[in-house]
Amino acid sequence: MSACVPTRATDSNANENRTKRVHPPHSPPPPAPRRFRIAGADVSASIAVFLIALPLSLGIALATGAPLQAGLVAAAAGGLVAGLLGGCPLQVSGPAAGLTVVTADLIHRYGWRTTCAITVLAGLAQLALGCVRVARTALAVSPAIVHGMLAGIGVTIAVAQLHIVLGGTPQSSVLANLRALPAQLADLHPADVAMSMLTLALLLLWPRVPGRLGHLMRKIPAALVAVAGATLTASLTGLSLAKVDLPSWSSHALAGLPKGPVLGIAAAVLTTTLVCSVQSLLGAVAVDKLVAGQPGLSARVGRSDLNRELLGQGAANIVSGALGGLPVAGVAVRSSANVQAGAVSRNSTMLHGVLVVVAALLMVPVLELIPLASLAALVMAVGIQMVSLHHIRTVTRHREVLVYAVTTLGVVFLGVLEGVLLGVTVAVAVALNRLAHTRITHDEKEGVHHVHVRGQLTFLAVPRLSRTLHHVPQGAHVVVELDGSFMDHAAYESLQDWQNAHTARGGTAELTGRRTGVGVTEPDRTGGEATPADTATGTPIASTACRCHPWTPWRNHQCEPPRSASPSGHPGESTDRSAPGTAIPGDAGTGPGGHQLARGISAFQRNTAPLVRGELARLAREGQRPSQLFLTCADSRLVTSMITSSGPGDLFVVRNVGNLVPPPGEESGDDSVAAAIEYAVDVLRVRSITVCGHSGCGAMQALLNSEPGGARTPLKRWLRHGLPSLERMADDGRPWARLAGRAPADAVEQLCLTNVVQQLEHLRGHESVARALREGALELHGMYFHVGEAQAYLLTGVDGDELFDGVGVADMSA
């Protein structure tokens, strides 16, 4: 096996030497690079996006009441201008469903030409915001407000388009549409209803066709199939239907000077700017997540520049509004399709804009065959999808469902700007209530009084805290559980004074907190002051019996009394008095390991269990819903919850020797790992899988040092799954995996890095993983943890530059 060890240098000049070998110093200089080239992947991706954008652009224009050409103008401006200037190369911009309600209201109030002028002014406002670099600040809006806004817009769209689906005409508001719905149901138009139902059926069933045929069919967008199927059916049957009407471009209305009250125009500009900017920035962040799931693409595209994206969106809105188009924003459906179709640069977005222009000029006779009912059904489906059950579950889990509901209802019944302002008001009120509201309970269990303080402990809660503590009998043993993250000086003084008085009367007081995880005993009776414990503010509270962190190794615990002598003078007897009158389970008759384990369990029950019991009870009721499968080595130095800052229910963890993923197949497969992968992907529906290697891996050392032949021990049989990693490292035709900023320290570290990349390839071979990747429901990540440096590295490139980049303290994208 040692013969397989590569002999290439691992110093920082390795890449330079390889480059010199490929390009000899005396060879003719390489030809100058071509100035402009469109990759084949960009061409195919642009066609896929164009086929989605064409019917959606017409449908959104129909939903707003604007001229249908306005949707095509916006799509072209979004593709060409935002695609060229924006900071997110793979985001596709155009007329967005999230702007439908805003635009429809503006057209109803001010007319079409003034609406175009408002779009131009909103674009100028976006340029100003991009110049002052506030894009990141815009993302500080509560997700509950953003999702509530989009849900309210979706409800409004769906209710309005339902009238067109039924063959009628929508009203100006949701309430008016709801009141008119019974009359509309009584006056159905069978042809419109039939085409709408056909469109919805194709939208629903097309992506769900099983088997190899279904995989091939899904390459054609469902939106295009639905509209094309309804159009073909209507043409063949000769049904009498309202169809798309595209007047001559010579009569297309452009932007005019805004006419209307100044405050009204200003509010309209503010609303349009807000919705366009937030939707585009959130879309850029979502595209970054999609790109991160394809490591080879992430190394080529890089992360989005949100301020530049805001500038690009502003320029696109100026052009679109000036040419008589709808407002432009980043569109999630088209951007997702762009990434999944294999786009590798902004050329795909721009080429899609060119295709829209060609269609608008040359395909008018074909477009005029499309039934309006089919477009309305398409937009209604988009509106329904904007009310996301996933978002509702998320805000419910974070106790922000009230903010979500108020924002949604406000947008539906009052308007977008009013609904968002109402949501912001409720969000602030909820935050203040959480800060000011503190729940204090008192109960007695087995002679011990428990005072539980849940919430932030401020001066507002001091009177209730004092009353509760006053009811504790003198001389009693009290445990005060501080379940919060903040304590002000008034609360600290109140607790300190009570504790001193209580212990002076013969009682004992123990304070535990979310941050301390330690017990507090009575102060020093020799006259010295007690040493306080840190709660959340760094303010001392009381002397501690244990200052060890949850991740402190057993041998470093400072809370265990010395075992050299007992009060009776017998060496080796324990002097532990942490639990008077009780024995620690497993303490008797066990060796050092068993004793340490028992003490660790006891410390958990005493300090940590009270803090996590509520969360674990919730998980027991609801079941596990982890979002990540974390596959790493069994090495005892890797504490997964510590290096990922995760808690109960976050990670589905698989550990084995060498963080290996056996390739699927009867000859080399391993059922335990494959079963865990299948369960995580198909049952738990995890959204990402991370393979984590680490420095000084014993399995990699064993691979490098093993010799051919010898006994086939279980360890050797298992390590055969690491042989492809060894072969990959020895292959001169492959780039070496490397760390950002330095070369690998030795061959072992080089193999540890290479092994992560190779195991990701094995992972893609599993059927459940491959299927989830094709559907865009799963992301794969590589990670390397350097134990000695306590530094994590994330894989940012595969099939090109296999670079592990260090995760910084302020890196929130990781």
Side-chain angles (χ1 to χ4, degrees):
M1 184 69 68
S2 59
C4 296
V5 179
T7 58
R8 295 181 294 182
T10 58
D11 59 3
S12 59
N13 296 323
N15 291 333
E16 181 181 352
N17 293 336
R18 179 182 297 183
T19 302
K20 289 180 179 179
R21 187 169 64 249
V22 175
H23 301 289
H26 301 291
S27 62
R34 298 167 62 180
R35 291 187 177 182
F36 182 74
R37 185 183 67 176
I38 300 179
D42 283 333
V43 175
S44 59
S46 68
I47 296 174
V49 175
F50 162 72
L51 295 177
I52 296 174
L54 189 63
L56 279 177
S57 299
L58 293 172
I60 291 171
L62 173 68
T64 61
L68 295 184
Q69 294 103 318
L72 301 177
V73 172
L80 293 171
V81 181
L84 176 65
L85 304 178
C88 183
L90 300 187
Q91 173 158 255
V92 181
S93 302
L99 292 160
T100 301
V101 176
V102 176
T103 309
D105 182 60
L106 294 180
I107 295 173
H108 177 73
R109 291 189 182 188
Y110 304 111
W112 172 240
R113 300 190 66 181
T114 297
T115 299
C116 292
I118 291 172
T119 302
V120 174
L121 294 175
L124 292 173
Q126 286 181 298
L127 288 180
L129 293 174
C131 289
V132 297
R133 307 183 68 81
V134 298
R136 288 285 176 188
T137 306
L139 294 179
V141 180
S142 168
I145 297 175
V146 175
H147 298 323
M149 177 189 74
L150 295 177
I153 292 173
V155 171
T156 305
I157 292 172
V159 173
Q161 296 309 296
L162 180 59
H163 283 269
I164 301 180
V165 166
L166 299 176
T169 303
Q171 306 300 314
S172 59
S173 67
V174 175
L175 287 176
N177 281 319
L178 291 175
R179 284 194 295 264
L181 192 56
Q184 185 63 61
L185 290 172
D187 185 24
L188 294 177
H189 291 66
D192 293 285
V193 173
M195 290 302 100
S196 299
M197 292 301 103
L198 176 61
T199 302
L200 293 174
L202 289 173
L203 274 175
L204 180 66
L205 299 177
W206 187 262
R208 291 170 172 78
V209 177
R212 185 182 301 273
L213 177 61
H215 176 65
L216 295 175
M217 293 170 61
R218 281 191 291 273
K219 294 183 180 296
I220 306 175
L224 176 68
V225 173
V227 174
T231 302
L232 183 62
T233 302
S235 300
L236 294 177
T237 57
L239 295 175
S240 176
L241 293 164
K243 297 182 179 179
V244 168
D245 182 19
L246 294 174
S248 170
W249 285 102
S250 60
S251 61
H252 180 63
L254 305 179
L257 293 176
K259 297 179 181 179
V262 176
L263 290 179
I265 296 295
V269 173
L270 175 63
T271 304
T272 306
T273 304
L274 172 68
V275 179
C276 288
S277 301
V278 171
Q279 182 165 346
S280 298
L281 294 176
L282 290 176
V285 173
V287 169
D288 281 348
K289 293 180 180 179
L290 290 175
V291 171
Q294 304 180 28
L297 181 61
S298 62
R300 181 169 183 174
V301 176
R303 293 171 56 186
S304 299
D305 182 342
L306 297 184
N307 290 298
R308 179 179 172 181
E309 180 64 19
L310 205 53
L311 293 172
Q313 295 293 332
N317 271 312
I318 293 173
V319 172
S320 180
L323 297 179
L326 293 171
V328 170
V331 186
V333 175
R334 298 171 217 176
S335 302
S336 175
N338 193 35
V339 175
Q340 293 174 3
V344 295
S345 73
R346 64 179 70 247
N347 291 335
S348 64
T349 303
M350 297 171 60
L351 187 56
H352 128 269
V354 172
L355 294 176
V356 171
V357 173
V358 172
L361 296 177
L362 302 180
M363 294 179 58
V364 172
V366 176
L367 298 178
E368 288 185 334
L369 297 175
I370 300 175
L372 294 182
S374 178
L375 293 178
L378 175 64
V379 177
M380 184 179 73
V382 172
I384 294 173
Q385 291 172 354
M386 293 173 70
V387 186
S388 170
L389 293 179
H390 170 69
H391 291 158
I392 294 175
R393 285 193 293 266
T394 301
V395 298
T396 301
R397 187 167 61 249
H398 290 89
R399 298 187 299 163
E400 292 186 329
V401 68
L402 178 62
V403 178
Y404 179 91
V406 169
T407 306
T408 300
L409 294 175
V411 170
V412 169
F413 295 109
L414 300 177
V416 174
L417 183 60
E418 294 84 353
V420 169
L421 292 177
L422 193 59
V424 171
T425 303
V426 173
V428 172
V430 169
L432 291 176
N433 177 70
R434 289 176 179 173
L435 181 63
H437 180 71
T438 306
R439 183 182 178 186
I440 303 175
T441 59
H442 171 217
D443 60 354
E444 181 184 357
K445 296 179 180 178
E446 300 179 355
V448 179
H449 291 261
H450 293 268
V451 177
H452 187 192
V453 181
R454 183 175 183 179
Q456 318 313 320
L457 194 54
T458 66
F459 68 94
L460 297 173
V462 167
R464 288 188 292 122
L465 177 63
S466 299
R467 284 195 300 269
T468 302
L469 294 175
H470 180 71
H471 292 303
V472 176
Q474 294 184 9
H477 177 59
V478 186
V479 177
V480 180
E481 301 175 13
L482 304 176
D483 188 3
S485 59
F486 175 77
M487 176 191 296
D488 69 4
H489 188 71
Y492 160 69
E493 289 286 354
S494 177
L495 271 176
Q496 183 79 358
D497 293 343
W498 168 81
Q499 185 186 22
N500 291 336
H502 185 72
T503 53
R505 296 185 179 94
T508 59
E510 179 181 348
L511 274 67
T512 62
R514 180 182 296 274
R515 294 298 182 90
T516 59
V518 298
V520 179
T521 59
E522 54 184 329
D524 186 1
R525 299 302 182 90
T526 63
E529 291 187 357
T531 304
D534 180 12
T535 298
T537 62
T539 307
I541 295 179
S543 65
T544 63
C546 174
R547 293 182 180 276
C548 301
H549 297 290
W551 59 84
T552 304
W554 288 333
R555 67 175 180 274
N556 294 337
H557 273 233
Q558 303 300 319
C559 54
E560 183 175 355
R563 299 176 56 85
S564 58
S566 67
S568 61
H570 296 104
E573 280 190 33
S574 173
T575 59
D576 177 64
R577 293 293 181 268
S578 61
T582 61
I584 299 176
D587 202 14
T590 62
H595 174 76
Q596 291 172 333
L597 180 62
R599 289 189 61 83
I601 296 172
S602 178
F604 165 79
Q605 293 298 146
R606 180 175 65 253
N607 302 323
T608 309
L611 304 179
V612 300
R613 187 169 286 119
E615 178 65 14
L616 291 178
R618 183 188 66 80
L619 290 171
R621 291 192 307 270
E622 300 178 1
Q624 63 168 329
R625 297 177 183 174
S627 60
Q628 315 273 335
L629 167 58
F630 197 83
L631 196 150
T632 189
C633 186
D635 193 293
S636 62
R637 296 166 295 179
L638 258 68
V639 184
T640 56
S641 59
M642 180 180 71
I643 65 177
T644 60
S645 298
S646 56
D650 291 335
L651 299 180
F652 187 71
V653 181
V654 174
R655 305 188 70 152
N656 61 50
V657 176
N659 49 274
L660 300 178
V661 181
E666 296 180 1
E667 295 80 15
S668 61
D670 178 86
D671 286 344
S672 67
V673 177
I677 293 171
E678 180 182 348
Y679 185 78
V681 175
D682 292 343
V683 179
L684 298 178
R685 302 288 184 183
V686 296
R687 296 190 295 275
S688 76
I689 302 178
T690 299
V691 175
C692 178
H694 68 96
S695 61
C697 181
M700 299 301 104
Q701 292 178 358
L703 272 176
L704 286 171
N705 298 331
S706 63
E707 297 290 343
R712 295 283 291 175
T713 65
L715 179 60
K716 283 189 175 182
R717 287 198 299 271
W718 170 253
L719 289 180
R720 76 185 187 278
H721 301 305
L723 293 178
S725 301
L726 201 62
E727 296 167 358
R728 184 188 190 99
M729 189 172 74
D731 187 356
D732 287 334
R734 289 178 180 267
W736 271 15
R738 60 190 180 89
L739 296 172
R742 68 173 178 86
D746 51 28
V748 174
E749 185 168 53
Q750 181 65 69
L751 183 56
C752 291
L753 297 172
T754 304
N755 183 57
V756 172
V757 179
Q758 183 63 39
Q759 301 312 313
L760 286 173
E761 284 195 8
H762 291 178
L763 198 57
R764 294 186 184 93
H766 286 261
E767 181 181 354
S768 56
V769 174
R771 182 175 62 253
L773 289 174
R774 288 194 302 268
E775 296 171 354
L778 185 65
E779 299 175 355
L780 300 184
H781 302 283
M783 178 176 168
Y784 175 76
F785 185 75
H786 194 287
V787 177
E789 299 174 355
Q791 176 64 55
Y793 297 84
L794 289 179
L795 179 62
T796 60
V798 170
D799 298 331
D801 188 15
E802 297 168 358
L803 177 68
F804 286 81
D805 198 5
V807 180
V809 175
D811 191 352
M812 302 301 291
S813 65

